[in-house]
Amino acid sequence: QVQLVESGGGLVQAGDSLRLSCAASGRTFSFYAMAWFRQAPGKEREFVATVSSSGGSTNYADSVKGRFTISRDNAKNTVYLQMNSLKPEDTAVYYCASRRVGLTYAYWGQGTQVTVSS
């Protein structure tokens, strides 16, 4: 069982930056690929970014590529999402999720709200 707790959300203006954190419980954090998803009001949850279990490989949605950076610290059981040049369309609840290689995302956090004003 893995528990994920996000933090770092808030209200910012367009162009500002935020860093989200997701702290994971358990001793096997380094076995899991981690990802960030987001869900805006009235929309489906969408993929934002993912990082491999070692941190050596990352992938991003086109909408955030060049602005967001996902990283992880396996010693701290934490994954981060650095968000720069935020836009109003980035407004959403952001969730972190984890999965073992070859499996679906089985563990989800409760989400943290990010609101970007224009």
Side-chain angles (χ1 to χ4, degrees):
Q1 187 76 11
V2 176
Q3 292 185 328
L4 304 173
V5 179
E6 302 97 335
S7 61
L11 172 63
V12 298
Q13 293 187 332
D16 285 350
S17 299
L18 272 179
R19 189 176 82 154
L20 305 183
S21 299
C22 174
S25 65
R27 299 180 180 179
T28 59
F29 177 74
S30 62
F31 294 173
Y32 290 82
M34 301 295 297
W36 288 94
F37 291 78
R38 66 187 182 187
Q39 187 167 20
K43 295 187 177 181
E44 295 187 352
R45 188 176 298 184
E46 64 174 0
F47 166 78
V48 175
T50 187
V51 60
S52 62
S53 56
S54 68
S57 177
T58 58
N59 193 29
Y60 298 90
D62 288 343
S63 59
V64 307
K65 202 171 293 184
R67 299 187 299 122
F68 290 11
T69 302
I70 189 171
S71 62
R72 66 189 295 160
D73 185 338
N74 285 347
K76 295 183 178 180
N77 280 16
T78 302
V79 62
Y80 305 97
L81 185 68
Q82 177 66 43
M83 306 185 294
N84 298 330
S85 302
L86 282 161
K87 304 175 181 180
E89 51 263 43
D90 295 318
T91 295
V93 177
Y94 283 71
Y95 300 89
C96 69
S98 65
R99 67 176 181 87
R100 295 294 294 263
V101 173
L103 301 179
T104 59
Y105 289 99
Y107 302 103
W108 295 81
Q110 82 290 348
T112 186
Q113 176 71 48
V114 172
T115 303
V116 184
S117 64
S118 57

